[in-house]
Amino acid sequence: MLGEREAMVLEVRGWDVHGVGYVDVTLAYRDGATTTARLGKESVPEDLRAGEVVVASSAMNLVVAIRRADGADAPDAPAS
């Protein structure tokens, strides 16, 4: 089962094991559900911060990647 859901980032924690980077991201969905995903750095926008709106891609009900929602700018990005 594949899918995408919009969510708000509650927490982002980066860490590494023997030089391999991981990110723990806690998300809140519109229906009130929350989840924490442990992803490789390549699956998360580099400067992701709490409060951002993202789209979480999932497979078999597990988050496998996160991207910014369409139209969402990176924090501190200059206005167009």
Side-chain angles (χ1 to χ4, degrees):
M1 180 153 104
L2 300 173
E4 290 188 334
R5 290 175 71 186
E6 192 171 276
M8 178 174 284
V9 178
L10 297 179
E11 183 178 24
V12 180
R13 252 191 211 163
W15 57 282
D16 69 270
V17 175
H18 304 292
V20 178
Y22 295 91
V23 181
D24 288 349
V25 181
T26 303
L27 302 170
Y29 297 104
R30 291 182 186 261
D31 65 3
T34 60
T35 190
T36 299
R38 178 163 290 165
L39 302 165
K41 284 186 174 183
E42 71 280 354
S43 299
V44 179
E46 187 175 325
D47 57 352
L48 188 66
R49 296 183 187 169
E52 289 191 68
V53 176
V54 297
V55 175
S57 299
S58 55
M60 302 297 291
N61 294 324
L62 295 174
V63 176
V64 295
I66 295 173
R67 65 177 168 80
R68 287 192 171 87
D70 293 334
D73 290 329
D76 305 323
S80 304

